[in-house]
Amino acid sequence: MPSPDTTPDLTTLQPRLPSPLQESEDERFTRRGLRLLLKRDDLIHPELIGNKWRKLAPNLEAAAGRTVLTFGGAYSNHLRATAAAGRLLGLPTVGVVRGQELADRPLNPSLARCVADGMRLHFIDRSTYRHKSEPSTLAAVLHAAGAQDAYVVPEGGSNTLAVRGCRALGEELRGQADVVAVACGTGGTLAGLAAGLDAGQRALGVPVLKGGFLEDDVRRLQAGAFGGPRGDWRLDDRFHFGGYARTSPELDAFARDFEQRHSVPVEGLYVAKLLYGLVTLAEEGAFPRGTAVAAVVTGSPFPA
């Protein structure tokens, strides 16, 4: 385990950067004069996948060997990625999990994977979780978790360092597409992506949570990271399928069909909703003929 104030060397993990950009022939796009590109961020690293790498890497360096504490729900991709990073780099990790009632239940496969990777779980009630960003509540949570000196990463990993890290995603796509679309949870990836694109390129965010709060969050994240708005971006919040971790038989069938068409594993909670949204928009005529649309594949399916 690294000594305190020792910055881990993330290059030892051999990330695949820039991630591949693949053109995908899909008649739902081509018959409307559109090109579909897949930005395969799911191939960056087998365990620190996609935007999780881009968000976590700068935060892991900033932690400088300290315990990393972060937050998430029972099925959080972010918790799993943080736990995996801890195992790979020898960093202690603590996951603060929403839902005190879960403490006495068997762990689901996602949380069990976190524990197997060495993460210590600390469950808190949902009311406290909603106020976790307030200084007094955060201090109490850190004390209760025995992690007062931990480096804290917010839920979903979206903070100033993460947003700046995601700017590289946009920079890798400069000149490659007219519209770049990404599924959104906490908004950090979209905030950084939009900042990295060239003038004339547009970023489209597809929220996977309902509530209509994300626009303000993206603006706040850009202000914190860059001092103000950056890039041309918008949100389309019609494709959340009821909220986070919610799916439907229609969405599941769509994901299976897309996998068969393109031989690309489709993660269900984020990527499937993004791709479904893009097909719907293409069918609605939302993109002019000649538009190149790039979909960012931010994750891969959780192993059964």
Side-chain angles (χ1 to χ4, degrees):
M1 188 170 296
S3 59
D5 301 321
T6 300
T7 301
D9 182 5
L10 273 69
T11 63
T12 62
L13 302 183
Q14 299 181 320
R16 186 178 182 182
L17 291 169
S19 61
L21 182 65
Q22 301 174 349
E23 182 139 12
S24 295
E25 291 291 330
D26 191 311
E27 90 278 357
R28 294 168 293 188
F29 292 83
T30 55
R31 68 172 177 257
R32 294 173 173 85
L34 308 174
R35 294 171 59 212
L36 175 64
L37 307 168
L38 301 178
K39 178 63 168 168
R40 297 294 304 276
D41 265 19
D42 58 316
L43 299 178
I44 290 177
H45 188 275
E47 295 186 81
L48 302 184
I49 294 167
N51 60 345
K52 302 309 175 191
W53 174 278
R54 296 185 189 275
K55 289 179 172 183
L56 275 173
N59 278 289
L60 293 170
E61 291 175 345
R66 287 180 287 163
T67 295
V68 176
L69 179 143
T70 193
F71 300 83
Y75 294 92
S76 169
N77 293 327
H78 171 67
L79 285 183
R80 288 206 310 272
T82 304
R87 172 175 55 80
L88 292 167
L89 295 169
L91 295 171
T93 59
V94 177
V96 178
V97 183
R98 179 179 63 246
Q100 181 63 49
E101 72 277 6
L102 301 175
D104 298 322
R105 299 178 185 174
L107 297 178
N108 66 33
S110 184
L111 292 179
R113 180 69 259 173
C114 291
V115 171
D117 279 341
M119 176 174 273
R120 180 163 58 86
L121 300 181
H122 178 74
F123 297 87
I124 62 174
D125 66 85
R126 294 170 187 272
S127 176
T128 301
Y129 194 91
R130 283 193 295 272
H131 298 281
K132 63 187 178 300
S133 60
E134 298 174 6
S136 59
T137 302
L138 177 59
V141 169
L142 293 176
H143 179 78
Q148 295 94 319
D149 297 325
Y151 178 87
V152 177
V153 178
E155 181 179 27
S158 290
N159 59 8
T160 295
L161 288 176
V163 172
R164 291 173 181 163
C166 288
R167 179 171 52 189
L169 171 60
E171 292 170 347
E172 290 173 21
L173 286 162
R174 287 181 178 176
Q176 302 295 319
D178 303 295
V179 177
V180 181
V182 65
C184 301
T186 50
T189 304
L190 176 63
L193 164 66
L197 292 174
D198 257 337
Q201 292 181 291
R202 293 179 287 129
L204 170 65
V206 175
V208 302
L209 293 82
K210 62 180 179 180
F213 57 85
L214 202 57
E215 182 170 342
D216 288 342
D217 287 354
V218 174
R219 295 185 188 282
R220 176 181 53 79
L221 288 166
Q222 287 198 329
F226 310 119
R230 291 291 186 276
D232 180 0
W233 60 270
R234 70 177 183 88
L235 298 167
D236 191 324
D237 60 4
R238 296 178 292 159
F239 307 111
H240 53 68
F241 283 83
Y244 183 71
R246 301 285 182 88
T247 63
S248 73
E250 180 186 11
L251 183 65
D252 294 341
F254 171 87
R256 290 192 298 270
D257 176 71
F258 195 94
E259 288 183 347
Q260 292 169 0
R261 288 172 184 255
H262 300 290
S263 300
V264 174
V266 177
E267 184 274 332
L269 304 186
Y270 286 85
V271 179
K273 295 178 180 182
L274 166 68
L275 296 171
Y276 183 96
L278 289 178
V279 169
T280 301
L281 287 165
E283 291 172 345
E284 292 174 349
F287 307 118
R289 294 186 70 85
T291 299
V293 181
V296 182
V297 182
T298 50
S300 62
F302 183 60

